[in-house]
Amino acid sequence: MPVAPTSDTSNVSQMGRGRHADAEQTQLQILGMQRRSRCGYCHTPNGSSCFGARARLLRCSDYQALIDRGWRRSGSLLYLTDHSSSCCAYYSIRTHALSHTLQQSEKKLLRKWRRWELLGDSAPGSALDSSVVTAGRRLVVRLEPAAYSEEKYLVFERYQRAVHNDMDASRSGFQSFLCSSPLMFDDTTDGAASGRLLSRGLGSYHQCYYVDGRLAAVGVIDVLPTCVSSVYLFYDPEFSDLSLGTYSSLREIALVRELNRYVSPDIKYYYMGYFIPSCPKMTYKARWRPAELLDLVTFEWIPIDQCLERIRQHPAFCTFDPRISSRNIVRNSRRDVLSWAPVISSCTLNGGERRAAMQLVFWIGPRNSVLGSNLACISKDLEQVVWQTAASLGLPLASRAILSI
């Protein structure tokens, strides 16, 4: 059955023009289910799959909605893990930055930095801001819009070689992975303090750490309406004894506090990506308390201490809502396996939502669009893509974004 265009709208052919959040809608190319060639955490071949989308443009408020449904981004690629066929369980994790207090190990690190004159003098145990943000004569920290530079690339290349044994870190790969961002800067916040902290408003930034004039590390972050989201950190291996990973996290938590005070009281959280219980390299994120994990059934953030016991009972995947029995979501074999995939599955849509999903508009090229119901008539595979798009993005975002296939 041929695809019937619903309209001929030439203005959509200008997708990608402009970069201001007031002037553009979020534009997503739906990629559908993607099989990962190798799990980066447990190294299982073909260990997991995800539902993917390529963002041409992405409003900060829309990305906030996506990460609160379990999505993450790598450059312009957005992905949501399919827990029905995943070797590892991925839980989004965040901490209440306004309530975080320094632990003894963190105070010890800051004392070491002060001895090395990397930090200015402040009383141990004082407010996180003054303990972390006050730079000493050897340390300079600059927050700047995410952009490529040869200096950053060379640090990234050395980091990839030393830490990840990656001998093929290219300039183009670095550019697309950590410098190019689909997020549109949102400078709707007012006040001189906002401009001082965020030169272009909400969006993607590099927090650059210079020691004695040398670039030592770069933290890649997204500043969103309610949070600072950590994307990646890379550092020069010559500075590995400085524990830059720990310090950069403290610095980003302190940034949330500054943004809350001077830019928007809605910015309260520090998002750290995925907490993966089966991967020792990823469980360190639980130490930044008070922490919460995202429940992918209810889309509620649950204190991590309430989650860990359920995770032990159902290591493949579980819901943390005590009103829902985990046995309704997982089945037992040699290991717990998810019998249906929350967020991605059409089972999460009720009758009204399924009808609304069929009215979603998908663009094919710059001038032709087709309703989800027409795609569903072409093949079962395309029908599944329509359901998955509505379920994973959420109908409010799926309805207002410009979708293409």
Side-chain angles (χ1 to χ4, degrees):
M1 176 178 179
V3 176
T6 60
S7 62
D8 180 359
T9 329
S10 59
N11 65 332
V12 178
S13 67
Q14 301 176 21
M15 288 196 298
R17 181 171 61 101
R19 298 293 292 173
H20 196 282
D22 290 340
E24 298 286 357
Q25 293 172 263
T26 288
Q27 300 173 11
L28 302 176
Q29 178 189 7
I30 303 302
L31 303 177
M33 295 304 301
Q34 306 288 304
R35 170 62 64 176
R36 293 191 179 108
S37 58
R38 183 171 179 266
C39 177
Y41 302 106
C42 70
H43 307 299
T44 301
N46 299 316
S48 63
S49 61
C50 63
F51 189 75
R54 182 75 64 183
R56 293 192 175 100
L57 295 176
L58 183 60
R59 295 178 68 95
C60 290
S61 57
D62 288 339
Y63 186 48
Q64 180 73 67
L66 286 174
I67 63 174
D68 284 331
R69 295 178 70 86
W71 288 78
R72 297 296 294 176
R73 78 171 183 90
S74 175
S76 62
L77 176 66
L78 308 178
Y79 57 94
L80 177 63
T81 298
D82 175 13
H83 287 90
S84 67
S85 62
S86 175
C87 50
C88 300
Y90 297 68
Y91 299 100
S92 296
I93 185 169
R94 73 180 186 184
T95 189
H96 287 262
L98 307 186
S99 303
H100 177 73
T101 57
L102 293 173
Q103 301 178 18
Q104 286 301 317
S105 60
E106 296 158 4
K107 294 177 183 178
K108 182 179 179 181
L109 172 63
L110 297 180
R111 286 195 296 269
K112 180 174 74 172
W113 277 52
R114 279 191 288 272
R115 285 197 305 271
W116 291 351
E117 299 182 316
L118 290 167
L119 294 179
D121 292 332
S122 61
S126 63
L128 181 64
D129 294 358
S130 62
S131 296
V132 177
V133 175
T134 307
R137 67 179 181 88
R138 297 182 57 201
L139 173 68
V140 174
V141 182
R142 295 175 185 156
L143 183 64
E144 59 189 47
Y148 176 91
S149 76
E150 186 69 8
E151 182 182 35
K152 292 174 185 175
Y153 165 70
L154 293 175
V155 172
F156 173 75
E157 182 189 39
R158 289 193 289 270
Y159 172 80
Q160 291 296 107
R161 285 175 177 269
V163 177
H164 296 293
N165 197 32
D166 177 5
M167 304 303 172
D168 300 311
S170 66
R171 287 171 173 81
S172 60
F174 171 65
Q175 167 78 32
S176 62
F177 175 35
L178 296 175
C179 300
S180 298
S181 170
L183 287 176
M184 294 177 280
F185 284 106
D186 182 350
D187 56 5
T188 55
T189 53
D190 297 322
S194 174
R196 176 178 62 84
L197 289 170
L198 301 174
S199 60
R200 299 187 63 185
L202 305 180
S204 298
Y205 286 84
H206 286 170
Q207 186 139 269
C208 302
Y209 301 83
Y210 294 87
V211 175
D212 297 331
R214 287 182 55 190
L215 182 61
V218 177
V220 184
I221 60 175
D222 293 329
V223 182
L224 303 174
T226 69
C227 73
V228 169
S229 175
S230 176
V231 178
Y232 202 73
L233 173 80
F234 58 94
Y235 56 83
D236 191 321
E238 289 188 28
F239 295 96
S240 58
D241 58 340
L242 294 182
S243 301
L244 286 162
T246 298
Y247 179 71
S248 66
S249 293
L250 291 173
R251 185 88 190 196
E252 288 164 8
I253 290 172
L255 176 62
V256 175
R257 293 186 170 199
E258 287 190 286
L259 296 173
N260 173 269
R261 184 179 305 157
Y262 298 115
V263 176
S264 169
D266 294 330
I267 301 176
K268 302 176 182 178
Y269 302 102
Y270 178 49
Y271 283 52
M272 298 169 281
Y274 287 133
F275 173 76
I276 303 176
S278 60
C279 179
K281 292 190 301 182
M282 303 298 286
T283 55
Y284 75 92
K285 298 177 181 182
R287 78 185 188 193
W288 307 107
R289 302 296 182 99
E292 297 175 322
L293 300 184
L294 178 65
D295 189 313
L296 285 178
V297 175
T298 64
F299 302 117
E300 295 176 354
W301 289 93
I302 309 297
I304 193 169
D305 289 333
Q306 298 179 27
C307 303
L308 295 178
E309 179 57 32
R310 279 217 166 188
I311 290 173
R312 282 190 286 268
Q313 295 171 354
H314 301 285
F317 179 82
C318 69
T319 176
F320 309 125
D321 189 335
R323 298 166 296 181
I324 302 175
S325 171
S326 291
R327 295 185 181 279
N328 293 335
I329 295 179
V330 296
R331 68 182 190 275
N332 293 316
S333 56
R334 289 189 177 181
R335 52 175 286 185
D336 293 329
V337 178
L338 191 67
S339 59
W340 59 285
V343 186
I344 297 175
S345 172
S346 60
C347 346
T348 62
L349 301 173
N350 61 35
E353 291 169 335
R354 291 168 74 89
R355 288 190 292 274
M358 290 293 102
Q359 298 305 307
L360 292 177
V361 176
F362 294 83
W363 289 90
I364 304 173
R367 299 178 65 86
N368 296 320
S369 63
V370 60
L371 291 175
S373 56
N374 285 2
L375 287 177
C377 291
I378 296 173
S379 72
K380 287 295 183 182
D381 288 342
L382 286 174
E383 180 184 42
Q384 190 68 13
V385 169
V386 174
W387 298 137
Q388 291 169 336
T389 299
S392 61
L393 298 181
L395 273 169
L397 174 53
S399 300
R400 66 176 175 263
I402 297 174
L403 307 176
S404 64
I405 55 174

